Amino acid sequence: MSDTHAQTVAYVRETMLPQATPPVSEVGAIKWLRENLFSGVLNTILTLVGIAAVIWVVQAALPWFLHGVWRANSLSECRQIIAESWGEGAHGACWAVIRERWNQFLFGFYPRDLYWRPVLALALLFVALAPILFAELPRKLIWASALYPAVAYILLWGGSLWVPISVMAGFGVGWLGLAIARRTGLPLLAPLAAVLLPLLWWLLLAGPAAGMLERAVPLWVQEVRSDKFGGFVLSITIGVAAIVLSLPLGVVLALGRRSDMLLVKALSVGFIEFIRGVPLITLLFTASLLLNYFLPPGTNFDIILRVIIMVTLFAAAYIAEVIRGGLAALPRGQYEAADSLGLDYWKSMQLIVLPQALKISIPGIVSTFIGLFKDTTLVIFVGLLDPLKGITDAVRAAIEWKGVYWEPFIFVGAIFFIFNFGMSRYSMYLERKLKRDHR
């Protein structure tokens, strides 16, 4: 400070002040409360209203949880134990219904001695998903992911082993047709061969081939009919299958909607708009009642497979729109950069455009998957026993548990929350890993 400036002010301190502690209102919890809960009049009112609501909910629900009974054989026995322990008029949860019927909520009416099969299928599902979800794992594990659908089918439904083997052979036929078309100098026919040959195999040859092999070398696992499925085995089977199948179909539809080919674009737009304009329940009724009219007489098409097809189509239409949003968000320079490198359409989509578009679309895609998993409870309308209403009604049909209301809903809701929260957390992990905001 110059001498001139020192002479223009009334007082200049020449000694340093001793170090002092900050005011209580500017440190610690008090500062956090002032900034986050009581920063203004409106914020203070909302905080007080929120606290009052939380206190009211806790006062109403906490005794009901604390008075809960885990060991009883009926609802009347639960109420008797609560009255003896907490006095007449006391209320409490009867968790004994969950303890007694947990197997029905999880497995439906699946044979009890075969519970190990859906449990093993669920464990193998995580093994199959690991190389897809975590890029750090060895790429060779992707073969486990490719073989998982056949293994899961055998574990869940059982029956002849040759059926899933003949279905999987269709992919080998497509790969063989693709390779032969490329080697014979007909690259334009390669995509056509990769699609048509598997379809012909599945429609005409897969069934007879499986029957012939079964007669020659019987390989059989105890069969479980679809009407035995229920609870979370049913929801997870439909949800996982629809999620896995709807993502690639949604990508194809999104590309088709942005295609310059008039017929491809018209078909894609028509499919997406029709599916989005129809409630899912309508599609489920179509799968249950109308689909058989379009199949050859005597065809026995499994109801769960029909539901999976319809749920997949429904989810694919929404995912296509989410991915189309990601494609539209990309700067045009990215498309021009792909063209400047001399890449053809599929190479530019595979290497440059789709990786960026999918990265942008992650939150929307995962939200669609979460909604899809919760929508699996709608299968109750086509006679399948979902865990929320189908199994709950079946449990309440027993005279000893008639009158139980909240406990099954809380149990089923908690399991749904665990699955959906896991998907949401993985989505956030993936966003951070891919640095979606380019920080």
Side-chain angles (χ1 to χ4, degrees), residues 385-435:
L385 295 177
D386 76 301
L388 188 63
K389 182 169 175 54
I391 295 297
T392 300
D393 288 349
V395 170
R396 286 197 194 119
I399 189 66
E400 60 266 27
W401 301 116
K402 189 175 288 295
V404 168
Y405 190 76
W406 288 106
E407 294 85 348
F409 291 145
I410 293 174
F411 176 69
V412 173
I415 295 182
F416 267 110
F417 175 79
I418 291 172
F419 277 99
N420 293 329
F421 187 71
M423 283 194 278
S424 175
R425 292 292 100 181
Y426 177 76
S427 167
M428 297 177 67
Y429 157 77
L430 201 57
E431 285 184 60
R432 288 194 301 271
K433 183 179 179 182
L434 298 177
K435 297 181 179 177

Side-chain angles (χ1 to χ4, degrees), residues 186-397:
L186 298 171
L188 294 178
L189 294 179
L192 203 60
V195 174
L196 286 183
L197 289 179
L199 289 177
L200 292 175
W201 170 266
W202 288 326
L203 292 176
L204 303 176
L205 300 176
M212 184 177 63
L213 291 170
E214 177 61 29
R215 287 189 293 273
V217 185
L219 294 175
W220 191 265
V221 177
Q222 183 178 345
E223 189 173 5
V224 180
R225 297 198 316 269
S226 291
D227 58 358
K228 300 295 182 184
F229 282 57
F232 280 98
V233 166
L234 179 65
S235 288
I236 294 174
T237 300
I238 296 175
V240 171
I243 286 172
V244 171
L245 296 174
S246 62
L247 181 58
L249 183 58
V251 172
V252 172
L253 288 171
L255 294 178
R257 183 158 190 166
R258 291 176 59 87
S259 173
D260 296 329
M261 302 171 68
L262 179 60
L263 181 60
V264 173
K265 182 173 183 177
L267 290 175
S268 300
V269 171
F271 177 84
I272 292 171
E273 296 302 332
F274 173 76
I275 293 294
R276 289 204 308 163
V278 177
L280 178 57
I281 294 177
T282 304
L283 297 178
L284 294 178
F285 278 125
T286 302
S288 174
L289 302 174
L290 300 180
L291 201 58
N292 277 341
Y293 288 104
F294 300 99
L295 298 175
T299 302
N300 184 18
F301 198 20
D302 190 89
I303 180 64
I304 294 181
L305 295 181
R306 280 183 273 165
V307 168
I308 288 175
I309 291 173
M310 287 302 175
V311 174
T312 299
L313 297 179
F314 185 80
Y318 283 88
I319 289 176
E321 288 301 280
V322 172
I323 295 175
R324 189 170 69 91
L327 292 171
L330 281 184
R332 183 162 183 79
Q334 296 297 317
Y335 295 90
E336 295 172 349
D339 294 337
S340 67
L341 292 174
L343 300 176
D344 60 19
Y345 175 79
W346 294 109
K347 285 288 185 185
S348 64
M349 289 295 125
Q350 176 187 353
L351 300 176
I352 295 179
V353 176
L354 277 180
Q356 299 181 74
L358 292 175
K359 193 166 59 175
I360 296 172
S361 308
I362 286 174
I365 292 174
V366 174
S367 295
T368 305
F369 286 164
I370 290 175
L372 166 65
F373 185 54
K374 291 188 293 184
D375 285 345
T376 57
T377 56
L378 295 177
V379 297
I380 182 62
F381 291 105
V382 293
L384 296 176
L385 295 177
D386 76 301
L388 188 63
K389 182 169 175 54
I391 295 297
T392 300
D393 288 349
V395 170
R396 286 197 194 119

